[in-house]
Amino acid sequence: MKILLTGGAGFIGSHTAVALIENGFEPIIVDDFRNSEPFVIKNIEKIVGKKITSYSSDIGNKEEVKNILQKENPIGVIHFAADKAVNESVVNPMKYYQNNVLNLINFLEVIDIAKINSFVFSSSCTVYGVPDKIPVKETASIKPAFSPYGYTKQVGERILNDFFKSLPSSSLTLLRYFNPIGAHPSGLIGELPIGVPSNLVPYITQTAIGKRKKLTVFGKDYDTKDGTCIRDYIHVVDLANAHVASLKKGLESKDSIKVFNVGTGKGASVLDVITAFEKVSKHDLNYGFGPRRAGDVPKIYSDNTLIKHELDWDAKFSLEDCLEHSWNWEKNLIKFKYKSAKKQD
Ligand code: UFG
């Protein structure tokens, strides 16, 4: 059973490719390797012990994508291909509307939806903006987004909702990720930030290994238990398994539209993450406090009751597991040649 993964060489895509194979599916990766690395395909193959089919193509290239679809005939799609840097989207919004919205439309125009029984979309908890109630449920209102990136996820969800409502025989699942971190326990695949990381965990591991001098904790006067922001950090392997569970459910139900939060249901502060990292890495992290970062929501974590109930999914990895795996990955990176390694600053 072939499943097309757009952006399948990226952080979440690569872990999902592994999870699909472990569940008897055959992933077909389409990735233009703009923000990912060819060695990732080799490493997925090492983990699963078999060859992977992959195409180096831009998902916005209708002709190429059409040919791939005709050749491979997948029964499901997981759509990851998108840009995801919040700050960059503020500086270069058209790149985000082009890659995340226009390319989604182009892609939907060429897929033969009659043959795609289950479509899973990478969305984000960013669609909730500053939620009125925490833990946040899927029924919470969609608030004005803080960034063009956030809008592209809201618009993507909307386009897909309207598109799939008009189709009688395909299922759509929108997965709203909380904060994906961690890496594969093998240490062979993980996150590859380009340039200076804007996310917390890669910044921590790069500081500990010496690529960065010091971590700045953005804000210490939030109305939270220790004054730092609260997030729901989810291990990327747990997140990958949520994609497989969604895909399977979609294949069974054929004409449903579902929305699920994918988080642990637990909040951790920035200081909790640092403490857990110091414990598992046995490193004292060089960090200090700075001003708040514009656009940061003080506190958000998921209500994950729905996904637990409907997909029989649960997060298996702890925060410490996540950080241990992220740390192993950082230490392993020296072994791999990749272009973003040259763009560290
Ligand atoms: N943080 C620091 N120092 C850093 C980096 C981050 O203190 O150097 C803090 C942030 O202020 C925040 C927490 O660590 O409190 C987490 O920040 P991340 O940048 O790792 O993650 P965000 O919660 O900002 O962003 C994530 C995803 C986005 C998504 C957003 C939705 O990366 O794609 O959640 O809230 F849009």
Side-chain angles (χ1 to χ4, degrees):
M1 285 189 289
K2 291 184 178 179
I3 309 297
L4 192 84
L5 298 192
T6 73
F11 178 39
I12 303 165
S14 56
H15 291 80
T16 302
V18 172
L20 282 169
I21 293 167
E22 286 168 352
N23 282 274
F25 292 98
E26 185 184 342
I28 308 294
I29 291 178
V30 181
D31 200 302
D32 63 5
F33 297 97
R34 228 172 351 127
N35 291 328
S36 57
E37 301 288 335
F39 84 78
V40 170
I41 305 288
K42 292 263 164 304
N43 285 10
I44 296 173
E45 289 172 344
K46 273 188 204 154
I47 295 170
V48 299
K50 59 161 103 163
K51 287 291 281 176
I52 300 283
T53 307
S54 70
Y55 294 89
S56 176
S57 279
D58 180 341
I59 205 67
N61 184 329
K62 289 189 186 184
E63 273 317 298
E64 278 182 23
V65 174
K66 219 187 225 168
N67 289 339
I68 295 168
L69 286 162
Q70 268 164 9
K71 185 164 172 231
E72 299 292 348
N73 242 330
I75 56 160
V77 167
I78 307 183
H79 182 57
F80 296 105
D83 285 311
K84 61 170 188 178
V86 176
N87 298 347
E88 186 195 34
S89 78
V90 176
V91 179
N92 195 354
M94 295 321 284
K95 178 179 173 189
Y96 280 70
Y97 288 112
Q98 173 73 50
N99 290 341
N100 297 6
V101 179
L102 267 181
N103 281 354
L104 171 64
I105 294 172
N106 285 342
F107 181 53
L108 292 177
E109 276 175 4
V110 294
I111 58 178
D112 181 354
I113 208 69
K115 294 184 184 157
I116 304 294
N117 298 318
S118 183
F119 189 108
V120 182
F121 178 63
S122 237
S123 190
S124 162
C125 69
T126 193
V127 300
Y128 298 120
V130 182
D132 296 325
K133 245 178 108 184
I134 297 163
V136 61
K137 283 182 186 287
E138 289 84 351
T139 47
S141 53
I142 300 297
K143 296 285 192 63
F146 278 123
S147 65
Y149 163 76
Y151 276 113
T152 65
K153 289 296 167 192
Q154 293 185 351
V155 173
E157 284 199 0
R158 185 60 202 246
I159 291 169
L160 285 163
N161 248 301
D162 291 341
F163 184 69
F164 277 82
K165 261 186 213 148
S166 70
L167 300 164
S169 62
S170 299
S171 318
L172 168 68
T173 313
L174 307 173
L175 293 183
R176 294 181 179 156
Y177 312 157
F178 280 68
N179 286 55
I181 61 166
H184 196 267
S186 64
L188 287 168
I189 52 173
E191 193 169 4
L192 281 170
I194 296 165
V196 182
S198 54
N199 294 122
L200 179 63
V201 171
Y203 209 105
I204 289 177
T205 57
Q206 290 196 6
T207 305
I209 210 148
K211 289 179 187 164
R212 312 271 151 222
K213 283 202 174 71
K214 186 177 178 179
L215 170 80
T216 302
V217 176
F218 300 135
K220 59 172 179 180
D221 57 354
Y222 284 102
D223 184 16
T224 58
K225 60 174 186 175
D226 59 21
T228 65
C229 289
I230 307 273
R231 294 288 181 275
D232 183 341
Y233 295 93
I234 172 89
H235 196 292
V236 63
V237 171
D238 283 328
L239 181 54
N241 287 328
H243 289 78
V244 177
S246 304
L247 182 94
K248 278 186 183 166
K249 190 73 169 184
L251 290 173
E252 282 161 24
S253 55
K254 295 234 161 83
D255 64 349
S256 59
I257 297 184
K258 302 272 184 193
V259 183
F260 296 116
N261 285 336
V262 197
T264 62
K266 292 182 211 122
S269 72
V270 177
L271 290 180
D272 288 336
V273 176
I274 293 172
T275 307
F277 176 78
E278 288 183 326
K279 186 174 164 203
V280 298
S281 69
K282 300 180 180 66
H283 254 77
D284 283 335
L285 191 74
N286 187 19
Y287 73 93
F289 293 93
R292 292 179 177 200
R293 181 172 71 176
D296 268 344
V297 174
K299 184 174 181 177
I300 184 165
Y301 56 92
S302 66
D303 180 323
N304 61 8
T305 318
L306 195 65
I307 188 166
K308 278 180 168 169
H309 183 73
E310 290 207 13
L311 300 186
D312 198 21
W313 171 93
D314 206 351
K316 303 231 164 14
F317 292 98
S318 67
L319 181 62
E320 288 180 4
D321 294 332
C322 292
L323 293 160
E324 189 183 336
H325 296 157
S326 292
W327 181 228
N328 285 342
W329 168 242
E330 182 70 62
K331 287 186 290 185
N332 263 356
L333 266 177
I334 190 95
K335 297 180 197 154
F336 310 123
K337 281 204 179 75
Y338 62 103
K339 58 182 181 290
S340 43
K342 295 188 199 105
K343 297 189 206 160
Q344 287 302 343
D345 285 295

